[in-house]
Amino acid sequence: MNQQNMAVLVNVIGAVESGGQVYGQRDYAAYALPYTNSLIEHTITLGWAQNYGNEGRKLILMILDKIGETAFREIDKDGSIYAMRFHDWEKERWKPTDAQRKVLVALITTKAGKECQDELFSRVMEQFIEDCAAKYTTNVKAQMMYCEIRHLGGVSAVNRIFDRLNGNYDLDSILASLIRDQKDTTSGNQVGDQKFWSRHVKCRAFIEQYAVSEDTQQKEGETMAKSAADKACDWMEACARDNSHGYDQVYRWGEKGDYDCSAAVITAYEKAGVPVKTKGATYTGNMKGVFLKCGFRDITSQVNLSTGAGLKRGDVLLNTSHHTALYCGNGQEVEASINEKGTATGGKPGDQTGREFLIRSYRNYPWNCVLRYGEGGSGSGSATEGGCYMFTVQEVQKGSQGASVLLLQRLLRGMGYRDADKKVLERDGDFGSKTEYALKTFQKKQGLDADGIAGTKTWGAMIGL
């Protein structure tokens, strides 16, 4: 489930748990005494997601971890909440005093407390989604209903509802299975009972309205990739048609309007929103390595370099020792080439010949590498279900950014791996030292080479490629 749909899931369950069934609304200060929600809830419930008992204690531990003991004790002045951090709240049937309740609410409504509430919910949902995918379906809308039902009634309840579906996971079928609970007396845990019915109906309506389907996700991903490639080509083609842009290797980053071949291609994608220059691409010799880290894939083996067959608009044509250009479609390429003197430096600013920065027919320079944006990365693998393509993952390491890094962080978090300071990994799509530490810890535990690079073997151990 992508981040957009995870945000939808937060808004859906937040609405029905503590938000008055208003989409996007949730009560971070929610606090329930024992037996308020259920006769089997023997201790308190904390936060908008109704974290009962030891889940609430886990939330408090996360807040402590996030803000540190000093800041925590400034709120918990008598230390009574701190003292309960390792107790079993459920077994002891802890009922906080009014003073303790005020401290607990103060903790969970701090900025860190709100962040931890969202983080804990997402962590729990990631496990639910993984379980649903393994046992039932990867359909996004069905997974959201699975999460809603399991969050309300637990594993046995959601299994009962989904086992009845016999592989038909549309939302109407799920509701039909839920309503059967109203006549089922075999279990006291009836998540489909009338008292919960408005909740399920609301969830279904919100999911239908806001969830993004797998097909839409794929189309949006293709559109984003296509947009970056098009924007890069558009910028290069505009430069080629504007005589104020020529070729120079001294003033090569546009200081006087001129570029050399690599600076032009790097700038084109940087302007298109792909941070290749930011991440260190400076010349043909290091372009390949940096571009691969930024979401490009080496597709050299998939095209005919002699004829250009198989090339797509926005493909980076690269000779790692000498030259680079962009393929712009219709058998053409666009590039910064050479100045009016036939040299790399010493010419006048601007295009003096009409061919310093130009669009020309494709030719094999010779290129020794072709890079394509938005379709995975080097060392990528694919995950499938029933032979159907689901996603690709690219080889990533420190300095990498993008969807594959985000997936890596989510998987590491879900398995409990933390950074060197024992803190929960951020899911920001940016592979830094914290992610590297967690990955190396995972690799050591799996008996892999702990090089901090998520390549084929590491992905295979992690998601079964």
Side-chain angles (χ1 to χ4, degrees):
M1 187 177 293
N2 67 9
Q3 282 193 311
Q4 181 179 354
N5 276 325
M6 183 59 77
V8 171
L9 185 58
V10 169
N11 287 333
V12 170
I13 296 185
V16 297
E17 285 288 3
S18 61
Q21 295 195 350
V22 177
Y23 181 80
Q25 185 170 298
R26 51 192 178 274
D27 182 8
Y28 286 100
Y31 178 99
L33 289 167
Y35 311 114
T36 301
N37 297 321
S38 167
L39 292 178
I40 63 171
E41 291 190 353
H42 306 299
T43 185
I44 60 171
T45 300
L46 290 180
W48 71 259
Q50 305 291 304
N51 301 293
Y52 168 68
N54 289 322
E55 280 297 300
R57 181 170 67 87
K58 186 184 295 183
L59 173 62
I60 294 302
L61 286 171
M62 289 173 64
I63 296 169
L64 173 60
D65 184 47
K66 195 174 187 72
I67 66 176
E69 184 176 341
T70 300
F72 188 95
R73 296 292 287 268
E74 286 178 0
I75 299 172
D76 177 32
K77 295 187 184 302
D78 68 358
S80 61
I81 307 302
Y82 185 81
M84 291 296 296
R85 69 192 188 284
F86 294 133
H87 285 237
D88 188 324
W89 293 5
E90 295 170 33
K91 186 176 180 179
E92 296 179 20
R93 300 193 176 193
W94 182 42
K95 184 180 178 181
T97 64
D98 285 343
Q100 289 173 326
R101 175 186 60 79
K102 291 178 181 178
V103 173
L104 287 165
V105 172
L107 286 166
I108 66 176
T109 53
T110 60
K111 181 177 182 292
K114 293 177 180 179
E115 291 173 351
C116 288
Q117 288 190 51
D118 290 346
E119 184 178 307
L120 178 58
F121 176 81
S122 295
R123 188 188 301 173
V124 172
M125 290 305 106
E126 285 169 0
Q127 184 61 58
F128 287 5
I129 292 162
E130 181 181 330
D131 293 347
C132 182
K135 188 169 184 178
Y136 296 111
T137 179
T138 59
N139 177 277
V140 169
K141 293 181 179 181
Q143 287 182 336
M144 288 185 177
M145 282 302 293
Y146 175 96
C147 290
E148 194 271 319
I149 296 166
R150 183 167 170 180
H151 194 258
L152 176 64
V155 176
S156 62
V158 76
N159 285 347
R160 181 178 69 250
I161 300 303
F162 270 65
D163 284 345
R164 293 170 179 164
L165 298 175
N166 296 317
N168 186 10
Y169 299 113
D170 64 85
L171 298 187
D172 287 335
S173 297
I174 295 172
L175 282 186
S177 181
L178 276 164
I179 206 169
R180 286 175 59 182
D181 268 11
Q182 295 179 23
K183 296 181 179 180
D184 185 353
T185 60
T186 62
S187 170
N189 185 10
Q190 303 293 351
V191 291
D193 279 354
Q194 187 62 43
K195 63 181 177 179
F196 301 122
W197 194 247
S198 66
R199 170 189 177 122
H200 298 314
V201 171
K202 275 289 186 182
C203 283
R204 182 196 189 284
F206 290 148
I207 290 167
E208 287 283 25
Q209 182 174 357
Y210 296 106
V212 179
S213 69
E214 295 96 328
D215 288 343
T216 303
Q217 288 181 37
Q218 184 176 355
K219 289 176 182 176
E220 287 179 350
E222 291 171 352
T223 299
M224 289 171 65
K226 179 176 181 293
S227 175
D230 272 342
K231 286 178 180 178
C233 282
D234 288 347
W235 184 83
M236 289 276 285
E237 289 167 334
C239 287
R241 296 186 181 105
D242 182 349
N243 287 337
S244 67
H245 300 295
Y247 182 95
D248 191 75
Q249 277 193 356
V250 175
Y251 300 102
R252 56 191 293 261
W253 294 105
E255 298 95 327
K256 297 182 178 181
D258 290 354
Y259 297 87
D260 69 1
C261 63
S262 56
V265 173
I266 292 166
T267 301
Y269 266 105
E270 184 83 14
K271 288 181 175 292
V274 186
V276 286
K277 184 178 181 183
T278 301
K279 288 297 181 179
T282 55
Y283 74 114
T284 55
N286 68 6
M287 280 177 60
K288 180 178 178 180
V290 176
F291 276 50
L292 290 176
K293 292 179 182 179
C294 292
F296 286 78
R297 184 164 61 97
D298 186 342
I299 54 105
T300 312
S301 63
Q302 300 175 31
V303 301
N304 186 321
L305 291 174
S306 297
T307 64
L311 289 171
K312 293 184 179 181
R313 180 171 170 82
D315 285 351
V316 177
L317 308 170
L318 181 63
N319 181 299
T320 53
S321 297
H322 299 292
H323 190 48
T324 186
L326 282 189
Y327 182 77
C328 52
N330 300 316
Q332 293 184 310
E333 63 187 65
V334 57
E335 64 200 70
S337 182
I338 200 164
N339 69 16
E340 73 272 19
K341 295 183 175 183
T343 59
T345 61
K348 295 180 180 179
D351 194 338
Q352 307 301 315
T353 64
R355 296 187 62 81
E356 293 187 41
F357 203 137
L358 76 158
I359 300 170
R360 65 189 303 168
S361 295
Y362 170 79
R363 91 279 200 231
N364 186 4
Y365 172 76
W367 312 116
N368 56 27
C369 179
V370 180
L371 303 174
R372 180 171 294 164
Y373 181 67
E375 296 186 5
S378 82
S380 66
S382 64
T384 61
E385 179 179 74
C388 296
Y389 174 82
M390 290 170 61
F391 57 85
T392 60
V393 288
Q394 69 181 72
E395 180 177 289
V396 292
Q397 58 187 302
K398 191 173 182 180
S400 299
Q401 289 184 320
S404 290
V405 176
L406 184 61
L407 175 61
L408 176 69
Q409 291 168 331
R410 292 182 68 177
L411 290 169
L412 288 169
R413 277 169 54 117
M415 291 184 286
Y417 289 93
R418 297 194 169 201
D419 63 26
D421 297 322
K422 308 303 180 186
K423 293 185 177 180
V424 176
L425 286 179
E426 292 185 10
R427 293 172 299 172
D428 55 8
D430 194 346
F431 197 132
S433 58
K434 295 180 179 180
T435 302
E436 183 182 48
Y437 178 89
L439 178 59
K440 286 182 176 180
T441 305
F442 168 81
Q443 289 172 325
K444 289 176 183 177
K445 189 172 182 179
Q446 296 295 317
L448 300 169
D449 183 14
D451 57 5
I453 300 172
T456 303
K457 290 183 179 180
T458 297
W459 282 117
M462 194 168 288
I463 59 178
L465 289 178

